[in-house]
Amino acid sequence: FYASELSRLGWAVIVPISPDNRSFRGPNVARVTELIASVQERPDVLTGKTLLAGISAGGMSALEIASQNPGAYFGIMAVPALVRDSLNLEALRDMPVYLRIGSADELGWGAQYDATVEAFEGAGVRLDADLLFGEPHMFGLDWDRVAVWLDTLR
């Protein structure tokens, strides 16, 4: 959904597809970290920290993956995402997180925006968040703003 824009901004993009149709949370977190390590073996991909990005459940998976080894990641784009009760938010202290949620989200996530922001801020996450007026669950991004945020990570 956003891969071509991230690629245009100079990021190598991998989009994992679960072989067992399960989310990349819980036991499947290791699959993403293994995939990242494998891709970083390519000569045209830099090694080191990675940017995690996810849409909807993928955004929540990105948060969980980063919470298990926060030093391995530049930051997280979660567009949209919510904070699950089981997420170790304290592990994400000082982690840059780019969060966007549509106010007209069909799943009601817009109504949970304030609580989500409060949870992130309470944990000391470096949050760039916005509630996008009138936007549904899936929406386009302001890539100029994304680019500015991404530049702060490098």
Side-chain angles (χ1 to χ4, degrees), residues 1-20:
F1 195 68
Y2 302 130
S4 63
E5 286 296 327
L6 286 168
S7 178
R8 185 183 63 75
L9 292 170
W11 293 83
V13 177
I14 56 174
V15 181
I17 298 173
S18 176
D20 58 6

Side-chain angles (χ1 to χ4, degrees), residues 23 25 54-62 80 84 109 137:
S23 65
R25 293 196 299 265
I55 301 166
S56 191
M60 291 186 286
S61 293
R84 293 188 174 274
W109 291 19
H137 189 68

Side-chain angles (χ1 to χ4, degrees), residues 63 83 87 89 92 97 99 115-125 127:
L63 292 166
V83 173
L87 180 64
L89 269 179
L92 298 177
V97 173
L99 174 72
T116 300
V117 167
E118 185 177 306
F120 278 126
E121 289 177 344
V125 169
L127 185 65

Side-chain angles (χ1 to χ4, degrees), residues 2 51-64 75-83 96-102 109 113 116 120 127-130 137 139 141 149:
Y2 302 130
L51 169 69
L52 290 173
I55 301 166
S56 191
M60 291 186 286
S61 293
L63 292 166
E64 181 175 334
I76 305 160
M77 284 183 66
V79 288
L82 298 175
V83 173
V97 173
Y98 189 88
L99 174 72
R100 297 296 183 267
I101 297 176
W109 291 19
Y113 173 80
T116 300
F120 278 126
L127 185 65
D128 182 329
D130 200 4
H137 189 68
F139 46 81
L141 291 176
W149 181 79

